[in-house]
């Protein structure tokens, strides 16, 4: 089943907390602090794979999370880092921030890796804070919290050449003959309900990826038919193979040609700048010659030049060699673009551009007449806060002041002697 769009919640791993420990060993009366650092949390990493061709494996997965880092241990031992979660997606997958619509990654190179959510950094153990003034710190650093993000994945088929045209003009037959793709073929509209990709081998050793794209109709760019759903896949192709039905009994081939080009233009006018091959199929039919002559006449009148046409019969396997060579030559002309079979071992980390997270919030609980300080950063700090250790209390108070908590409390009317609650700890405010 071909799925080209889905949504997902991803969660990076939380960093482990640093440990507060002291060495107690025989013959080491003053062993000193020995709390190890917490391990780093796992990251969420997307990898583009040529072996994947649909987002179906992710369609019914609502949430994917990486492992948390372990807390620090005794004897200066660092906690184990959480495993990264690797998510394999098809080549051509785009990753968007669901809330803002921002494009986070566009995976167009095979084996390219993107870190979308970096795991939280592990906190430092108390051994890291020992110094000449404080030789036995009774506090440690909390690990960074995990990050959550709702994302939208959109697959745009990445192919060198794409077959476009009205339904039933023979696109599926063409790709079935020139490649190993085996699409459904029948004499009725909308046989192709999803893009079909096939590798085309040229006799001189060259090769390219060709896509049979679902049939378009007039109004596709406005949502009619199946075209609207699949127009986005045309964006990725480097050469457009425009297929026309040479056995047509009613209407004009040129009008069909212009109608499809107009839908492409309405969707994205840049598509018309791509290299194009005009193919008239079914040259074994009685009406082929008259249809071809009429098309040439109308084309010359509209564009003031002779059209470059390739005549074929996909059913009889006639003229397809000329088509394959023509497409391969055009691809050589634009070889400066990224090739589909290019691979990369580069790992890129996405850097978020959204607003910085609010460090804390201050409010008043009128029932208990106590000021409340809360927030994600505050919760992190409370994880390793030791209210019975003076150095931990002093460091905690210093951190709150640096963050601006004290100033914010004053702004909302907090005075000396008023009660302030942070987490499960309540104390008197003292400026």
């Amino acid at each position: 089943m071909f799925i080209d769009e889905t949504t997902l919640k991803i969660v990076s791993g939380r960093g482990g907390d640093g440990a507060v420990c002291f060495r107690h060993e025989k013959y080491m009366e003053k062993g000193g602090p020995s709390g190890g650092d917490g391990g780093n949390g796992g990251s969420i990493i997307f990898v583009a794979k040529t072996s994947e061709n649909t987002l179906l494996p992710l369609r019914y997965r609502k949430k994917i999370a990486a492992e948390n880092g372990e807390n620090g241990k005794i004897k200066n031992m660092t906690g184990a880092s959480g495993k990264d979660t690797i998510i394999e997606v098809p080549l051509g997958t785009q990753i968007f921030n669901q809330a803002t619509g921002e494009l986070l990654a566009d995976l167009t190179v095979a084996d390219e890796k993107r870190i979308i959510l970096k795991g939280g950094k592990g906190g430092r153990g108390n051994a890291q804070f020992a110094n000449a003034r404080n030789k036995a710190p009774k506090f440690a650093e909390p690990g960074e919290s995990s990050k959550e993000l709702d994302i939208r994945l959109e697959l745009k088929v990445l192919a060198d050449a794409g077959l476009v045209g009205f339904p039933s003009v023979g696109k599926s037959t063409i790709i079935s003959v020139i490649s190993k793709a085996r699409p459904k073929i029948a004499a009725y509209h909308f046989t192709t309900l999803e893009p079909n990709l096939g590798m085309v081998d040229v006799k001189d050793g060259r090769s390219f990826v060709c896509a049979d794209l679902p049939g378009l109709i007039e109004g596709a760019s406005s949502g009619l038919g199946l075209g609207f759903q699949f127009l986005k896949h045309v964006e990725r192709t480097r050469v457009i193979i425009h297929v026309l039905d040479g056995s047509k009994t009613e209407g004009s081939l040129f009008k069909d040609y212009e109608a499809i080009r107009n839908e492409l233009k309405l969707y994205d006018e840049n598509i018309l700048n791509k290299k194009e091959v005009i193919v008239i199929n079914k040259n074994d039919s009685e009406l082929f010659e008259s249809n071809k002559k009429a098309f040439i006449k109308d084309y010359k009148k509209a564009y003031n030049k002779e059209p470059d046409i390739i005549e074929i019969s996909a059913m009889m396997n006639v003229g397809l060699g000329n088509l394959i060579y023509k497409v391969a030559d055009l691809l050589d002309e634009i070889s400066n673009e990224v090739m589909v079979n290019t691979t990369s071992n580069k790992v890129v980390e996405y850097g978020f551009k959204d607003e910085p997270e609010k460090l804390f919030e201050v409010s008043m609980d009128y029932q208990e007449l106590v000021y409340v300080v809360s927030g994600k950063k505050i919760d992190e700090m409370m994880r390793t806060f030791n209210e019975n250790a003076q150095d931990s209390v002093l460091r905690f108070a210093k951190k709150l002041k640096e963050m601006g908590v004290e100033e914010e409390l004053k702004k909302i009317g907090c005075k000396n002697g008023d009660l302030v609650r942070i987490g499960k700890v309540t104390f008197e405010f003292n400026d």
Side-chain angles (χ1 to χ4, degrees):
M1 183 178 180
F2 181 78
I3 299 294
D4 61 3
E5 193 168 324
T6 189
T7 57
L8 185 66
K9 180 185 287 293
I10 54 175
V11 185
S12 63
R14 178 176 66 81
D17 297 335
V20 178
C21 302
F22 295 89
R23 297 186 70 177
H24 297 287
E25 298 180 22
K26 194 174 182 180
Y27 307 121
M28 294 187 68
E29 184 180 348
K30 298 180 180 180
S34 65
D37 300 340
N40 295 328
S43 299
I44 300 291
I45 303 174
F46 284 80
V47 184
K49 304 298 289 185
T50 54
S51 57
E52 300 289 331
N53 56 17
T54 175
L55 295 174
L56 180 61
L58 301 175
R59 177 69 179 270
Y60 302 106
R61 297 188 68 177
K62 300 300 181 185
K63 181 178 178 180
I64 296 180
E67 283 189 356
N68 294 328
E70 291 186 359
N71 294 336
K73 303 178 183 300
I74 61 173
K75 297 183 180 180
N76 293 304
M77 290 191 293
T78 300
S81 292
K83 290 182 180 178
D84 295 332
T85 294
I86 308 294
I87 302 174
E88 295 185 349
V89 293
L91 203 62
T93 299
Q94 292 182 319
I95 306 171
F96 295 89
N97 183 324
Q98 179 75 337
T100 65
E102 180 186 0
L103 177 63
L104 308 182
D106 191 0
L107 303 174
T108 59
V109 181
D111 298 323
E112 180 181 5
K113 295 182 180 180
R114 288 294 183 96
I115 301 174
I116 300 300
L117 283 186
K118 181 79 172 176
K121 188 178 179 181
R124 292 174 291 176
N126 68 331
Q128 296 267 29
F129 295 97
N131 53 48
R133 295 180 61 185
N134 187 0
K135 296 182 179 181
K138 296 182 177 63
F139 61 86
E141 192 174 54
E144 290 180 350
S145 59
S146 61
K147 296 184 180 70
E148 292 188 4
L149 184 66
D150 290 318
I151 59 173
R152 176 171 58 86
L153 303 177
E154 184 174 321
L155 171 60
K156 292 183 178 179
V157 168
L158 198 61
D160 293 304
L163 294 157
V164 301
F166 277 108
S168 302
V169 295
K171 300 186 303 298
S172 296
T173 304
I174 292 172
I175 198 170
S176 70
V177 177
I178 66 176
S179 76
K180 293 182 180 179
R182 292 294 175 264
K184 183 178 180 181
I185 300 171
Y188 53 84
H189 287 350
F190 301 127
T191 303
T192 303
L193 301 179
E194 60 190 53
N196 293 292
L197 271 74
M199 180 64 74
V200 179
D201 294 319
V202 189
K203 289 184 177 180
D204 60 10
R206 292 178 293 175
S207 63
F208 60 88
V209 176
C210 188
D212 163 26
L213 302 172
L216 304 178
I217 62 172
E218 285 190 87
S221 59
S222 301
L224 296 180
L226 300 176
F228 179 73
Q229 185 178 355
F230 295 105
L231 272 167
K232 59 190 174 188
H233 299 300
V234 185
E235 290 180 57
R236 296 296 200 185
T237 59
R238 299 192 295 152
V239 172
I240 302 294
I241 305 174
H242 200 128
V243 184
L244 299 167
D245 183 1
S247 66
K248 190 177 179 70
T249 57
E250 296 180 1
S252 161
L253 288 189
F254 186 74
K255 286 184 178 179
D256 288 354
Y257 172 76
E258 288 289 89
I260 294 299
R261 282 176 58 85
N262 186 56
E263 293 305 321
L264 297 177
K265 180 180 179 181
L266 290 173
Y267 179 76
D268 183 354
E269 60 183 13
N270 292 320
I271 293 177
L272 297 187
N273 295 326
K274 294 177 180 291
K275 298 286 186 179
E276 180 189 59
V277 178
I278 301 175
V279 174
I280 303 183
N281 189 21
K282 307 178 185 179
N283 70 352
D284 53 329
S285 70
E286 294 181 0
L287 296 173
F288 181 86
E289 285 299 326
S290 59
N291 280 327
K292 184 185 76 170
K293 288 179 181 179
F295 175 82
I296 294 173
K297 180 180 178 182
D298 293 338
Y299 186 97
K300 289 173 67 175
K301 183 178 180 181
Y303 294 101
N304 197 29
K305 64 178 182 179
E306 192 85 18
D308 186 5
I309 297 172
I310 294 183
E311 304 176 16
I312 68 166
S313 171
M315 187 67 69
M316 304 302 292
N317 197 357
V318 174
L320 293 173
N322 295 333
L323 172 60
I324 291 172
Y325 275 102
K326 177 67 174 179
V327 173
D329 290 343
L330 288 176
L331 288 170
D332 285 343
E333 290 181 21
I334 50 177
S335 60
N336 58 317
E337 294 185 22
V338 178
M339 292 296 290
V340 175
N341 61 355
T342 300
T343 60
S344 171
N345 293 318
K346 187 177 181 181
V347 181
V348 179
E349 180 181 346
Y350 173 72
F352 284 93
K353 304 181 183 69
D354 47 359
E355 295 182 2
E357 186 179 2
K358 195 171 183 180
L359 296 177
F360 63 89
E361 290 183 354
V362 175
S363 60
M364 179 66 179
D365 185 335
Y366 290 99
Q367 286 187 334
E368 298 186 21
L369 297 178
V370 60
Y371 291 92
V372 179
V373 181
S374 60
K376 204 168 186 179
K377 185 67 177 177
I378 298 294
D379 293 340
E380 287 180 8
M381 293 166 59
M382 290 301 294
R383 286 208 306 267
T384 56
F385 173 64
N386 183 356
E387 61 182 305
N388 298 314
Q390 186 180 8
D391 56 351
S392 180
V393 173
L394 292 174
R395 185 172 186 273
F396 186 69
K398 182 181 178 183
K399 279 277 189 183
L400 291 178
K401 189 169 185 177
E402 290 174 350
M403 290 168 60
V405 174
E406 183 178 309
E407 184 179 345
E408 197 66 27
L409 283 168
K410 289 180 183 178
K411 283 183 181 179
I412 66 170
C414 187
K415 303 181 295 294
N416 287 342
D418 288 345
L419 295 178
V420 178
R421 185 170 66 227
I422 301 179
K424 296 180 180 181
V425 181
T426 302
F427 60 91
E428 285 189 3
F429 182 74
N430 189 4
D431 186 3

Short mmCIF file of all heavy atoms in Angstrom, two decimals, residues 356-384:
data_model
loop_
_atom_site.label_atom_id
_atom_site.label_comp_id
_atom_site.label_asym_id
_atom_site.label_seq_id
_atom_site.Cartn_x
_atom_site.Cartn_y
_atom_site.Cartn_z
N PRO A 356 12.78 30.53 22.21
CA PRO A 356 13.34 29.78 23.33
C PRO A 356 12.27 29.43 24.35
O PRO A 356 11.32 30.18 24.56
CB PRO A 356 14.37 30.77 23.92
CG PRO A 356 13.96 32.11 23.42
CD PRO A 356 13.34 31.89 22.09
N GLU A 357 12.45 28.25 24.94
CA GLU A 357 11.47 27.77 25.90
C GLU A 357 11.46 28.65 27.15
O GLU A 357 12.50 29.08 27.64
CB GLU A 357 11.84 26.33 26.29
CG GLU A 357 10.83 25.67 27.18
CD GLU A 357 11.23 24.24 27.51
OE1 GLU A 357 12.31 23.83 27.07
OE2 GLU A 357 10.47 23.56 28.21
N LYS A 358 10.27 28.96 27.68
CA LYS A 358 10.15 29.76 28.89
C LYS A 358 10.70 28.97 30.06
O LYS A 358 10.32 27.82 30.29
CB LYS A 358 8.68 30.12 29.13
CG LYS A 358 8.48 31.24 30.13
CD LYS A 358 7.03 31.70 30.16
CE LYS A 358 6.87 32.86 31.12
NZ LYS A 358 5.47 33.33 31.17
N LEU A 359 11.61 29.59 30.81
CA LEU A 359 12.31 28.87 31.87
C LEU A 359 11.43 28.56 33.06
O LEU A 359 11.57 27.53 33.70
CB LEU A 359 13.54 29.67 32.31
CG LEU A 359 14.64 29.88 31.26
CD1 LEU A 359 15.76 30.74 31.82
CD2 LEU A 359 15.20 28.54 30.79
N PHE A 360 10.52 29.49 33.40
CA PHE A 360 9.69 29.28 34.59
C PHE A 360 8.44 30.15 34.52
O PHE A 360 8.33 31.06 33.70
CB PHE A 360 10.48 29.62 35.86
CG PHE A 360 10.89 31.07 35.94
CD1 PHE A 360 10.05 32.02 36.53
CD2 PHE A 360 12.09 31.50 35.41
CE1 PHE A 360 10.40 33.36 36.58
CE2 PHE A 360 12.45 32.84 35.45
CZ PHE A 360 11.61 33.77 36.05
N GLU A 361 7.50 29.85 35.41
CA GLU A 361 6.29 30.66 35.58
C GLU A 361 6.07 30.89 37.06
O GLU A 361 6.35 30.02 37.90
CB GLU A 361 5.07 29.96 34.97
CG GLU A 361 5.09 29.89 33.45
CD GLU A 361 3.84 29.26 32.88
OE1 GLU A 361 3.01 28.78 33.70
OE2 GLU A 361 3.68 29.24 31.65
N VAL A 362 5.57 32.08 37.39
CA VAL A 362 5.29 32.42 38.79
C VAL A 362 3.81 32.75 38.91
O VAL A 362 3.27 33.52 38.11
CB VAL A 362 6.15 33.62 39.25
CG1 VAL A 362 5.77 34.04 40.65
CG2 VAL A 362 7.62 33.27 39.20
N SER A 363 3.14 32.17 39.89
CA SER A 363 1.72 32.41 40.10
C SER A 363 1.41 32.44 41.60
O SER A 363 2.29 32.17 42.43
CB SER A 363 0.89 31.33 39.40
OG SER A 363 1.21 30.06 39.92
N MET A 364 0.16 32.75 41.92
CA MET A 364 -0.26 32.82 43.32
C MET A 364 -1.38 31.83 43.58
O MET A 364 -2.37 31.79 42.84
CB MET A 364 -0.76 34.25 43.64
CG MET A 364 -1.25 34.44 45.06
SD MET A 364 0.10 34.29 46.25
CE MET A 364 -0.74 34.59 47.79
N ASP A 365 -1.19 30.98 44.59
CA ASP A 365 -2.24 30.05 45.03
C ASP A 365 -3.01 30.74 46.15
O ASP A 365 -2.55 30.79 47.29
CB ASP A 365 -1.61 28.74 45.52
CG ASP A 365 -2.65 27.68 45.87
OD1 ASP A 365 -3.79 28.07 46.19
OD2 ASP A 365 -2.31 26.49 45.83
N TYR A 366 -4.17 31.29 45.81
CA TYR A 366 -4.92 32.10 46.78
C TYR A 366 -5.56 31.26 47.87
O TYR A 366 -5.89 31.76 48.95
CB TYR A 366 -5.97 32.94 46.06
CG TYR A 366 -5.36 34.04 45.22
CD1 TYR A 366 -5.20 33.89 43.85
CD2 TYR A 366 -4.95 35.23 45.83
CE1 TYR A 366 -4.62 34.90 43.08
CE2 TYR A 366 -4.38 36.24 45.06
CZ TYR A 366 -4.22 36.07 43.70
OH TYR A 366 -3.65 37.07 42.95
N GLN A 367 -5.77 29.97 47.60
CA GLN A 367 -6.36 29.11 48.64
C GLN A 367 -5.37 28.87 49.78
O GLN A 367 -5.72 28.92 50.95
CB GLN A 367 -6.79 27.77 48.04
CG GLN A 367 -8.05 27.88 47.19
CD GLN A 367 -8.54 26.51 46.76
OE1 GLN A 367 -7.77 25.57 46.66
NE2 GLN A 367 -9.84 26.41 46.52
N GLU A 368 -4.12 28.61 49.42
CA GLU A 368 -3.10 28.34 50.44
C GLU A 368 -2.24 29.55 50.74
O GLU A 368 -1.33 29.49 51.57
CB GLU A 368 -2.22 27.17 49.98
CG GLU A 368 -2.99 25.87 49.79
CD GLU A 368 -2.07 24.71 49.47
OE1 GLU A 368 -0.86 24.81 49.78
OE2 GLU A 368 -2.55 23.71 48.92
N LEU A 369 -2.52 30.67 50.03
CA LEU A 369 -1.75 31.90 50.21
C LEU A 369 -0.25 31.65 50.09
O LEU A 369 0.54 31.99 50.98
CB LEU A 369 -2.08 32.55 51.58
CG LEU A 369 -3.54 33.01 51.75
CD1 LEU A 369 -3.75 33.58 53.16
CD2 LEU A 369 -3.91 34.03 50.69
N VAL A 370 0.12 31.04 48.97
CA VAL A 370 1.52 30.74 48.72
C VAL A 370 1.84 31.04 47.26
O VAL A 370 1.02 30.80 46.38
CB VAL A 370 1.84 29.27 49.06
CG1 VAL A 370 1.01 28.32 48.22
CG2 VAL A 370 3.33 28.97 48.89
N TYR A 371 3.01 31.62 47.02
CA TYR A 371 3.47 31.86 45.67
C TYR A 371 4.06 30.56 45.11
O TYR A 371 4.77 29.83 45.82
CB TYR A 371 4.53 32.96 45.64
CG TYR A 371 3.98 34.33 45.98
CD1 TYR A 371 3.98 34.80 47.29
CD2 TYR A 371 3.46 35.15 44.98
CE1 TYR A 371 3.46 36.06 47.60
CE2 TYR A 371 2.95 36.40 45.28
CZ TYR A 371 2.95 36.85 46.58
OH TYR A 371 2.44 38.09 46.89
N VAL A 372 3.76 30.27 43.85
CA VAL A 372 4.19 29.00 43.24
C VAL A 372 5.11 29.29 42.05
O VAL A 372 4.77 30.08 41.17
CB VAL A 372 2.98 28.17 42.76
CG1 VAL A 372 3.45 26.87 42.12
CG2 VAL A 372 2.04 27.88 43.92
N VAL A 373 6.28 28.64 42.06
CA VAL A 373 7.22 28.74 40.96
C VAL A 373 7.24 27.38 40.25
O VAL A 373 7.47 26.35 40.90
CB VAL A 373 8.64 29.10 41.43
CG1 VAL A 373 9.59 29.20 40.24
CG2 VAL A 373 8.63 30.41 42.22
N SER A 374 6.98 27.36 38.95
CA SER A 374 6.91 26.09 38.22
C SER A 374 7.55 26.25 36.85
O SER A 374 7.89 27.35 36.42
CB SER A 374 5.46 25.64 38.07
OG SER A 374 4.71 26.61 37.36
N GLY A 375 7.70 25.14 36.15
CA GLY A 375 8.28 25.15 34.81
C GLY A 375 9.17 23.95 34.60
O GLY A 375 9.62 23.29 35.55
N LYS A 376 9.44 23.66 33.32
CA LYS A 376 10.24 22.48 32.97
C LYS A 376 11.65 22.57 33.54
O LYS A 376 12.19 21.60 34.08
CB LYS A 376 10.28 22.34 31.45
CG LYS A 376 10.56 20.94 30.96
CD LYS A 376 10.29 20.84 29.47
CE LYS A 376 10.43 19.38 29.01
NZ LYS A 376 10.15 19.25 27.56
N LYS A 377 12.26 23.75 33.41
CA LYS A 377 13.62 23.93 33.92
C LYS A 377 13.65 23.80 35.44
O LYS A 377 14.59 23.22 36.02
CB LYS A 377 14.15 25.30 33.49
CG LYS A 377 15.61 25.55 33.86
CD LYS A 377 16.54 24.64 33.09
CE LYS A 377 18.00 24.94 33.39
NZ LYS A 377 18.90 24.00 32.69
N ILE A 378 12.62 24.34 36.10
CA ILE A 378 12.53 24.24 37.56
C ILE A 378 12.42 22.78 37.98
O ILE A 378 13.07 22.33 38.93
CB ILE A 378 11.33 25.04 38.09
CG1 ILE A 378 11.48 26.53 37.76
CG2 ILE A 378 11.14 24.84 39.57
CD1 ILE A 378 12.62 27.22 38.46
N ASP A 379 11.60 22.00 37.26
CA ASP A 379 11.44 20.58 37.58
C ASP A 379 12.76 19.83 37.44
O ASP A 379 13.07 18.95 38.24
CB ASP A 379 10.39 19.94 36.66
CG ASP A 379 8.98 20.49 36.93
OD1 ASP A 379 8.77 21.03 38.03
OD2 ASP A 379 8.13 20.36 36.03
N GLU A 380 13.54 20.19 36.41
CA GLU A 380 14.86 19.56 36.23
C GLU A 380 15.75 19.84 37.44
O GLU A 380 16.42 18.95 37.95
CB GLU A 380 15.53 20.11 34.97
CG GLU A 380 14.94 19.60 33.67
CD GLU A 380 15.67 20.17 32.46
OE1 GLU A 380 16.71 20.83 32.65
OE2 GLU A 380 15.19 19.96 31.34
N MET A 381 15.78 21.09 37.87
CA MET A 381 16.64 21.47 38.99
C MET A 381 16.21 20.77 40.28
O MET A 381 17.05 20.39 41.10
CB MET A 381 16.60 22.99 39.17
CG MET A 381 17.23 23.76 38.02
SD MET A 381 16.84 25.53 38.05
CE MET A 381 17.48 26.00 39.67
N MET A 382 14.91 20.58 40.47
CA MET A 382 14.41 19.96 41.70
C MET A 382 14.77 18.48 41.80
O MET A 382 14.77 17.92 42.89
CB MET A 382 12.89 20.11 41.78
CG MET A 382 12.42 21.54 42.03
SD MET A 382 13.07 22.22 43.59
CE MET A 382 12.25 21.17 44.79
N ARG A 383 15.08 17.85 40.65
CA ARG A 383 15.37 16.42 40.68
C ARG A 383 16.60 16.10 41.53
O ARG A 383 16.69 15.02 42.11
CB ARG A 383 15.57 15.88 39.25
CG ARG A 383 14.29 15.75 38.46
CD ARG A 383 14.40 14.65 37.40
NE ARG A 383 15.54 14.83 36.53
CZ ARG A 383 15.51 15.46 35.37
NH1 ARG A 383 14.39 16.01 34.95
NH2 ARG A 383 16.59 15.56 34.62
N THR A 384 17.57 17.01 41.55
CA THR A 384 18.79 16.74 42.32
C THR A 384 18.95 17.72 43.47
O THR A 384 20.03 17.82 44.05
CB THR A 384 20.02 16.84 41.39
OG1 THR A 384 20.03 18.12 40.76
CG2 THR A 384 20.01 15.74 40.34
#
